Structure formats: structure tokens, C-alpha cells
């Protein structure tokens, strides 16, 4: 392991109960001060106790932690907010189709030295992260290309070195290097048609993740609190809070309809926040709902979604009348 750098003092052990408000006696490492790579603290964030414990286990015991859940549940944000409170530097890498093995490992580049072109090895994301206190997060882990995934596999072994074949050297991880990932599926591919581009993960690689945690949508009161904190202008009056509560109820109806197979698109907490922001702009909940969510949905399903809206908000949407007229 790499020795402690004088620029990065060793973390101190603090109470998870005091720092995160969870009922557990776990002591977690926390760096004395934040650096430029530490995420900003979101005071309105609500922590899921089980997922928080899983992430804290990753930071405390150097476990490899994979967070799985539907879109909009806040998987990456959850890791970021834990890291923010631990003053732990963090780097997120999205494993989309544009990320190549060379981006992760490194590649030779041509530079000008003393007026002459020369070849210099430029380290990729993984070698750069490994040699310092850093939480490396692979987002959309189940969308990674096979060649990229095999570059990651050796990294999943605790304290395992990372080989740079072109450099004939092995990089040993810093003792405060941590590895996380987020995924919409658990490596089974696009079985339900929701997440085009995801891959079936190699089971030998999936088995290397020490902890796999599932993150669901927030409890109703927590989601209301987050929306109110994000859009305080809407939450200033009792009627505004009642509107936010109704918006969350509409979102939960879309989630129930999605689970039952009635609709193919659901409202995430992110969508509810966007709806609230658009209400502040357009001063019309129905118009804001249309621009925030309905226009993203299949036309054949808009009548069902308008029924959800009417059931909670006690007002009709134009989509209801349009489809009724078409059917007569």
C-alpha cells in the first residue's frame, strides 16, 4: 500500500449514528477537511438506512459495493452524499458506449518536448484514482462494453494491483481508495425492455462485488420533504405543501401502474422536482405536468396517466378529453 501523503491526513473514526442519523453503532472514517474532489453537501438529502450502511461498509472496510435500482432513485447521489459527509474525494465515471478501455487504462499520446514530437503515456481514470484517497464510482455499470468490463475485473479484488501492460508495471491501490458502482439491473440484461443498451454481466465479475444493495423510491414524507426543500417558493404556504403532497401521490400512482404493467413510464423523484420547478415557472400545475412528464409518455398511455392526475388533483387534463372524443 502507498504511504500516507502529508497532503492527505489520515481519517478519524466518527459515529455513523451522529453523522447520518441511523440507528447503528458503526464507526466510520472521515477526513478532517474537504478537498476539491469532495462532493458538496446537500442538506435536504434523505438517506435510506440500509443503503447508507452498505455504502459506509464500503468506505470503512474497503468492500466493493454495487447499488441497484430503477432510474431516479438516487443511487449515485446516495454515494455522493455519504462521501460528502465523510470529506472523501469522489470521481464518477459513466460507462456509456463512448467510454473505451483506453479511457480507463491510459494511452500513449504525442507531445512536444524541446521542440520535438515525443510519445508520452497518459494515465487513464483507473490508475489516476488508485494512487490517492478516492472513491471511484462507475455509473451505469450494466451498460459497460465487454472490453471495458474486463479491464475493471482485476480491480474488484480487494488490494488487487492494476497492471499497465504497455508500461510493464503494476499499480497498487492507495489504502484509502474505494470502489463503487450503480446499475439499473443486476446484470441480467434488458429483460423488461426498459433499459436499452444494458448488458448481461459476467457472473464471475458480478460475484466479485462484496455488497449488493437495492435502492427503492423514497417514503412519501421523505419525498415531500425533498421536493419542498428543492422548490421552497412552492412550499411557503399550506396550499403549496398540499399541492406537493398531491404531486407525490400522482407520482406513486404512476409507479404502481408501472409495476402492474399498465404504463411503461413512471415518475421518478427527479421528475417530481422538475414538475414543481415548472409550476413555479408556468403557474399552472396541469401545464407543468404536461411539459414535465406527459410529453415523455406513449400516446396510448396518456389517457391512463390523465386518470391518475384527475383522481388526485380533481381536475381534467386536455389529454382526457382528446382521447374520449377520438373514441366516440
Amino acid at each position: 500500500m502507498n504511504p500516507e501523503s502529508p497532503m492527505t491526513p489520515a481519517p478519524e473514526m466518527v459515529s455513523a449514528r451522529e453523522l447520518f442519523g441511523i440507528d447503528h453503532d458503526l464507526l466510520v472514517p472521515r477526513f478532517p477537511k474537504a478537498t476539491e474532489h469532495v462532493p458538496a453537501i446537500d442538506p435536504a438529502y434523505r438517506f435510506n438506512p440500509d443503503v447508507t450502511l452498505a455504502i459506509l461498509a464500503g468506505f470503512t472496510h474497503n468492500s466493493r459495493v454495487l447499488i441497484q435500482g430503477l432510474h431516479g432513485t438516487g443511487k449515485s447521489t446516495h454515494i455522493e452524499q455519504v462521501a460528502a459527509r465523510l470529506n472523501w474525494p469522489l470521481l464518477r465515471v459513466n460507462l456509456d458506449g463512448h467510454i473505451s478501455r483506453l479511457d480507463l487504462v491510459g494511452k500513449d499520446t504525442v507531445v512536444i518536448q524541446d521542440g520535438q514530437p515525443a510519445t508520452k503515456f497518459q494515465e487513464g481514470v483507473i490508475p489516476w484514482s488508485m494512487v490517492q484517497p478516492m472513491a471511484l464510482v462507475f455509473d451505469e455499470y450494466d451498460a459497460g462494453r465487454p472490453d471495458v468490463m474486463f479491464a475493471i475485473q482485476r480491480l474488484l479484488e480487494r488490494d488487487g494491483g492494476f497492471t499497465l501492460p504497455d508500461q510493464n508495471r503494476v499499480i497498487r491501490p492507495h489504502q484509502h481508495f474505494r470502489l463503487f458502482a450503480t446499475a439499473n439491473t443486476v446484470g441480467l440484461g434488458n429483460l423488461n425492455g426498459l433499459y436499452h443498451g444494458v448488458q448481461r454481466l459476467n457472473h464471475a465479475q458480478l460475484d466479485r462485488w462484496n455488497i449488493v444493495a437495492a435502492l427503492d423510491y423514497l417514503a412519501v414524507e421523505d419525498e415531500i420533504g425533498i421536493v419542498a426543500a428543492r422548490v421552497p417558493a412552492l412550499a411557503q404556504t399550506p396550499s403549496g405543501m398540499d399541492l406537493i403532497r398531491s404531486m407525490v401521490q400522482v407520482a406513486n400512482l404512476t409507479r404502481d401502474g408501472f409495476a402492474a404493467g399498465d404504463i411503461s413510464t413512471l415518475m421518478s423523484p427527479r421528475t417530481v422536482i422538475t414538475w414543481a420547478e415548472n409550476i413555479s415557472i408556468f403557474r399552472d400545475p396541469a401545464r407543468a405536468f404536461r411539459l414535465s412528464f406527459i410529453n415523455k409518455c406513449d400516446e396510448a398511455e396518456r389517457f391512463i396517466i390523465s386518470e391518475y392526475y384527475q383522481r388526485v388533483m380533481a381536475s381534467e387534463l386536455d389529454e382526457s378529453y382528446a382521447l374520449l372524443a377520438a373514441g366516440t
Side-chain angles (χ1 to χ4, degrees):
M1 293 186 181
N2 296 351
E4 280 292 336
S5 165
M7 299 299 292
T8 54
E12 56 186 0
M13 303 305 290
V14 298
S15 168
R17 178 179 283 105
E18 294 180 5
L19 202 56
F20 296 95
I22 56 177
D23 187 18
H24 202 281
D25 295 330
L26 181 68
L27 294 178
V28 296
R30 181 177 186 268
F31 286 104
K33 63 180 181 179
T35 61
E36 60 177 335
H37 292 293
V38 174
I41 290 178
D42 178 1
Y45 192 78
R46 302 293 196 276
F47 289 95
N48 177 294
D50 291 338
V51 175
T52 300
L53 280 174
I55 296 171
L56 289 175
F59 280 110
T60 306
H61 300 289
N62 195 17
S63 299
R64 295 342 192 191
V65 181
L66 174 66
I67 309 295
Q68 181 271 331
L70 293 173
H71 62 283
T73 51
K75 302 178 291 296
S76 303
T77 307
H78 209 305
I79 301 172
E80 278 189 336
Q81 288 306 306
V82 171
R85 286 157 176 79
L86 297 179
N87 287 332
W88 207 294
L90 180 142
L91 177 66
R92 288 174 56 180
V93 178
N94 195 311
L95 295 184
D96 56 35
H98 298 289
I99 290 290
S100 69
R101 184 179 183 278
L102 294 179
D103 294 322
L104 296 182
V105 176
K107 55 189 174 183
D108 288 326
T109 58
V110 177
V111 298
I112 303 299
Q113 292 182 347
D114 300 326
Q116 298 294 324
T119 301
K120 181 179 179 181
F121 183 76
Q122 180 180 349
E123 289 186 338
V125 170
I126 292 177
W128 180 83
S129 303
M130 288 181 65
V131 297
Q132 58 187 312
M134 181 69 66
L136 178 59
V137 182
F138 290 121
D139 282 332
E140 312 298 341
Y141 184 71
D142 46 357
R145 290 162 28 185
D147 60 324
V148 169
M149 305 308 285
F150 281 111
I152 295 172
Q153 185 155 319
R154 180 73 176 92
L155 194 63
L156 290 172
E157 298 177 7
R158 185 180 302 178
D159 300 328
F162 187 77
T163 304
L164 294 175
D166 296 340
Q167 299 292 299
N168 295 322
R169 63 189 178 101
V170 176
I171 298 178
R172 299 294 177 186
H174 190 282
Q175 61 179 329
H176 294 131
F177 170 73
R178 300 292 184 266
L179 188 64
F180 300 89
T182 67
N184 294 127
T185 71
V186 284
L188 300 178
N190 188 34
L191 295 179
N192 54 13
L194 284 179
Y195 301 111
H196 297 289
V198 300
Q199 314 284 342
R200 290 184 64 89
L201 293 180
N202 183 307
H203 280 274
Q205 181 171 126
L206 194 60
D207 189 55
R208 283 173 162 81
W209 289 96
N210 308 118
I211 298 173
V212 178
L215 183 60
D216 203 351
Y217 291 110
L218 294 162
V220 171
E221 294 302 323
D222 287 340
E223 188 166 353
I224 292 170
I226 286 181
V227 176
R230 289 284 194 279
V231 193
L234 191 61
Q236 289 178 347
T237 63
S239 61
M241 286 301 299
D242 289 342
L243 177 58
I244 292 174
R245 183 175 297 277
S246 297
M247 293 164 63
V248 173
Q249 290 175 359
V250 173
N252 280 327
L253 287 177
T254 69
R255 295 162 194 169
D256 292 341
F258 175 84
D262 296 332
I263 58 176
S264 58
T265 309
L266 56 78
M267 294 184 70
S268 69
R270 185 188 302 121
T271 307
V272 180
I273 293 170
T274 301
W275 182 12
E277 291 171 342
N278 285 337
I279 289 175
S280 298
I281 295 172
F282 298 107
R283 306 296 179 183
D284 181 355
R287 176 175 294 166
F289 184 66
R290 183 176 298 109
L291 296 174
S292 306
F293 182 63
I294 282 192
N295 289 345
K296 300 176 183 177
C297 302
D298 189 314
E299 289 188 8
E301 299 174 354
R302 293 181 184 181
F303 178 65
I304 299 175
I305 296 168
S306 68
E307 283 188 342
Y308 297 156
Y309 184 92
Q310 190 277 334
R311 191 183 308 174
V312 176
M313 310 294 283
S315 64
E316 294 280 0
L317 293 173
D318 293 342
E319 283 74 12
S320 301
Y321 296 116
L323 287 174
L324 284 173
T328 57

